[in-house]
Amino acid sequence: MSAPTTVRRALTGWGRTSPGVAEVAGIRSPEDVVALLAAGVPGRGVLPRGLGRSYGDAAQSSGGLVLDMTGCDRVLSVDTEQAVVRVEAGVDLDRLTRVLLPLGLWLPVVPGTRQVTVGGAIAADVHGKNHHVAGSFGAHVLELDLVTVDGKTHTLGPDGLDAALFWATVGGMGLTGVVVRATLACLRTETSYAVVVTERCRDLDHLLERLEEGEDPALPYSVAWFDAMARGRRLGRAVLTRGRLATRDDLPRRLARDPVRLPPTGGGPAFPIVPAGLVTRGTGMAFNELWYRKAPARPTTDVQSIGAFFQPLDGVRDWNRAYGPRGFCQYQCVVPFAEVDAFRRAVSLIAASGHPACLNVLKRMGPTGRGLLSFPAPGWTLAVDVPVRPGLERLFGQLDDLVLAAGGRVYLAKDARLPGGHLEEMYPRLGEFRAVRAAVDPDGILVSDLSRRLLG
Ligand SMILES: Cc1cc2nc3c(=O)[nH]c(=O)nc-3n(C[C@H](O)[C@H](O)[C@H](O)COP(=O)(O)OP(=O)(O)OC[C@H]3O[C@@H](n4cnc5c(N)ncnc54)[C@H](O)[C@@H]3O)c2cc1C
């Protein structure tokens, strides 16, 4: 077998900020990873990369070797009786979904895009709209194969002898080794549709109240889009959607003919690079007004495809270009429920800053998982996408201070700029993570631009 070819490339995250140039190796199989790492990595280290959907610098390593895992993407087996699938880690959730749905299976946790690899989903321990009931992605990983920097393959489970390495890898942002295979528990579903209840909330308090009192076990998925630019009486006005997977009986006849249909992804028009960016204060406010008004004034129930409900942006190719050549940042934080006033202040700060923000998400998170660096924690989470422009760093700095004082944290998969000193306070299990990492990679060969910035 020939060694994977490498190409010198500039890489960025989804936000298209701070590019880093690296040698990128196209990985075709787990054996490629073993061979590369066993041969030793010269220079500035090595890092696995999936589809580059983390927003900041987590999946790039300037001057180093980056392993592009997307060619290591076979679905190895599906056990329909046990509802279990075994895959190579570079397979993306879109393709996996298309394999699973016709077999009556789906994934228990999916993020807001299916354009992520299984390896990337494990490394960020991604969460979905059902975090409060299902936990995050790692809670459904039954086993994974991890290649460490010495070229050894470790088969790890959540409760085995190597459980510490498993839980350092889940949420570990690629810094413990390269996940090459994973076995995932699946969910059963009769259809590729969701029954969705949509309602408008007039302001932030109304939204938080509805999220608190409206938790309905029969509707395990919930998320709100909120207007991050509205102020005063309309601060935090929102459109709340809650849903469940549809059964065949829920479907109207025209959909029931092919209950697991999933239209092709990304076939829509691509965004050109927009010189000055489309997202300005004016367009942002107009979009938010339209989005709020478009939602029904009274709660409405309808049937939506899983794509429309779970990953609405996947229909527009390269939508991240709409922010112009300077790119954009996402700020996602979680603040404990007891600190709801700090959360309110964070929403007010964003609205008062005048920065344009249209894609804004707010939801409740459930219990903390077992991943040493996993983001989710019980509390309120918000995520806002903001174009890079003067004053943004100041706003994010103010938000950091609020979040820190409230005992909250920022999500590393979305981060491009958090100062290093904050990590210790935000992630109380960082010391345990460092110890596991030091044991498997004493020379610090696995590095990313994010780890250089935050872990030193
Ligand atoms: C539109 C959009 C919506 C999103 N919605 C959500 C959401 O709802 N919830 C959520 O939690 N996240 C969400 N995300 C973030 C996204 O799910 C994560 O950033 C995810 O990690 C991206 O996967 P990827 O394959 O693109 O990985 P990359 O971005 O390429 O890499 C992410 C990290 O994973 C590591 N990694 C990648 N492959 C491997 C591997 N094989 N072994 C070990 N480490 C590896 C990398 O080193 C890096 O640190 C969203 C992102 C976008 C663009």
Side-chain angles (χ1 to χ4, degrees), residues 226 330-333 359-362 381-385 414:
F226 75 103
Q330 183 175 108
Y331 194 89
Q332 180 167 9
C333 61
L359 302 177
N360 318 306
V361 171
L362 191 156
T381 184
L382 66 75
V384 287
D385 284 4
K414 306 292 182 69

Side-chain angles (χ1 to χ4, degrees), residues 14 47-55 58-60 67 69-70 89-90 110-113 115-129 146 169 172-180 313-314 319 330 332 375 411 413-414 448:
W14 188 242
L47 184 77
R49 176 178 171 102
L51 277 164
R53 260 35 178 210
S54 44
Y55 276 66
Q60 63 195 55
L67 309 185
M69 295 299 293
T70 56
V110 286
T113 172
Q115 301 302 317
V116 308
T117 61
V118 165
I122 292 173
D125 195 14
V126 300
H127 56 271
K129 296 181 188 346
L146 182 78
T169 300
M173 303 307 289
L175 300 172
T176 58
V178 182
V179 178
V180 291
L313 287 167
D314 279 1
W319 61 261
Q330 183 175 108
Q332 180 167 9
F375 164 73
Y411 189 8
K414 306 292 182 69
S448 60

